[in-house]
Amino acid sequence: MSRSRTVRILAPILFGLAVLALWQGLVVALHILPFVLPGPIAIGTQFGLRAPFVLTSALVTAGNALAGLLIGTVLAAVFAALTASVRVLDELSAPLVTAASVIPIVSLAPALYTMFGADVQTARVLIAALAAFIPVYFNTLRGLRTVQPIHRDLMRSYAASRWQATRAVTVPGALPYFFTGVRVASSLAVISSLIAEDFGGPINGLGTSITSAVSSSNYPLAWAFVLGAIITGLVFYCVTVGLETAATWHRASA
Amino acid sequence: MSESSAELAVSVAEVGKVFPARKGGGVSALEAVSVDIAAGEFVSLIGPSGCGKSTLMRLVADLDSPSSGTITVFGKSARQARRDQDYGIAFQQAGLLPWRTVRENIELPLQLHGVGKAARRARASELIELVGLGDFGDRHPDQLSGGMQQRVAIARSLAESPRLLLMDEPFGALDEMTRERMQTELARLRAETGAAVVFVTHSIPEAVYLSDRVVVMSPRPGRIVQVLDMKLGGAEDRTDALREDAHFFERVSAVREALHGDPASAARARGAETR
Ligand SMILES: Nc1ncnc2c1ncn2[C@@H]1O[C@H](COP(=O)(O)OP(=O)(O)O)[C@@H](O)[C@H]1O
Ligand SMILES: [Mg+2]
């Protein structure tokens, strides 16, 4: 048991190290130029040397993503609850939300920068919020609509009010769906706030830093920022997967 | 009629149920079903799959309404009886809320009806003991076997000490061993609570073992073929020894014959319907 667990954790680490070693070997042996692909040692060195810079950039991007994720999630949950409970609202909004879900949200960035000003983060937060809204909304709505028939019967047999049934059955049943939505939304929020930086706005954040490192030909530094972006994305993913796992605890059978 | 209906737990009079079908007419699930169940009486509904047993039980529970005829529960309309919480109900699926512990599941109806925290806890503890789940109060349903989940569902149906229990194949998903044990326990619970029980099953021995009367139904449209008196004694006589009793076997044969129409076809079908 503990041996297989060790293997499960060690194997990918060893594999990753092997890939890094191969990468470094190829870069050195084939004399690959840094603008094509710097070696992992060069990237790691830059990452170490410029760690505070990478961190402040990551915090800007992560801050925008987090703010957007929170705003988008809250709005989506409220809106999904309204849609699930008010039929007219559902009929009115369904086509709109479906249409909105196919908009590549980042493409709104230039317009939003003009609307809110290029010296504030508002546009980036909004883009992250819009990107986060869609998966949370659709998942939550689905969750709110999947009440097991037997639970519905039970609530009726208890002569439970609509509000009681919502609290006792509908909302707890929808939570796993909601958190799945949040997990998907978290990645989208990070990606879109990062990409949005490339359309303008304040000169900070990981996206901006990657672009400016590339334009000043500091390729290892650019890759150090990419590494920062990967870590940021992983943190968001791990936290939301944790929430999702907690929400689906004990849900195996009924 | 109105005088005697006070002692009746359930009165079903000329009830029919037609489900709308996609193409025209509709499916007639029940036709002219009449049966009275006295307070404290244990009545099983038995019949082939699709004969309308669940439908009839759902009508009594006011989970659905009849297309014709009337149903009264303790002298009131089924709707009023449901509003007054006059019955407890259990289905083939346990239908527990997976995010609640055993205790919280049993407390659910009490909580919905405004019973205070302390009283709820006390009642849940009592019921957990009653169904033999002493150590499992704080477990979640996914940590229990099917039989244990079904016990929780039964405890939940008993939470408000209803005078009427509606049970739709509550042991249908259990293995034979567990099933017999649960039957013995249900007989004991019923003796302790004195509740009337409407029990849906497709197992002949189960129906005979538990019931005062067995209502035999025919397939589509569901009708009552025969109502058989079991005359196997009161609730306290439903012990394991009863399963070996000659009178028990005689009643099993009687129900089987009613189900299959005549003794000859009953003999042919014996293998398939001994559960
Ligand atoms: N909600 C429903 N809509 C349409 N037809 C139904 C519905 N419920 C039951 N029926 C039909 O009514 C008949 C009786 O069903 P049911 O009461 O579940 O039978 P049983 O419990 O005896 O197996 C079946 O033919 C079934 O297909
Ligand atoms: Mg059924």
Side-chain angles (χ1 to χ4, degrees), chain A residues 153 156-158 164 172 250, chain B residues 58 62 82 85 112-113 142:
Chain A
D153 283 347
R156 185 172 159 84
S157 82
Y158 297 144
Q164 284 181 317
H250 289 310
Chain B
R58 292 177 61 84
D62 188 43
R82 174 173 63 80
Q85 295 300 299
L112 291 174
H113 300 132
D142 67 342

Side-chain angles (χ1 to χ4, degrees), chain B residues 212-229:
Chain B
D212 296 316
R213 282 188 300 154
V214 173
V215 173
V216 178
M217 296 176 67
S218 72
R220 245 163 294 184
R223 293 170 189 270
I224 293 180
V225 179
Q226 209 176 331
V227 179
L228 293 106
D229 228 312

Side-chain angles (χ1 to χ4, degrees), chain B residues 47-61:
Chain B
S49 201
C51 72
K53 307 181 291 291
S54 297
T55 303
L56 181 54
M57 204 200 73
R58 292 177 61 84
L59 296 181
V60 174

Side-chain angles (χ1 to χ4, degrees), chain B residues 32-47:
Chain B
V33 169
S34 299
V35 62
D36 285 347
I37 294 155
E41 191 183 21
F42 196 122
V43 172
S44 287
L45 308 177
I46 196 166

Side-chain angles (χ1 to χ4, degrees), chain B residues 96-134:
Chain B
L96 304 177
L97 303 182
W99 51 86
R100 283 179 169 240
T101 62
V102 164
R103 174 179 294 283
E104 291 164 343
N105 265 288
I106 296 173
E107 286 183 16
L108 174 67
L110 301 169
Q111 192 183 354
L112 291 174
H113 300 132
V115 177
K117 206 167 184 165
R120 246 158 48 201
R121 266 199 85 79
R123 180 67 180 146
S125 301
E126 210 176 288
L127 287 163
I128 288 170
E129 286 305 320
L130 191 68
V131 296
L133 285 174

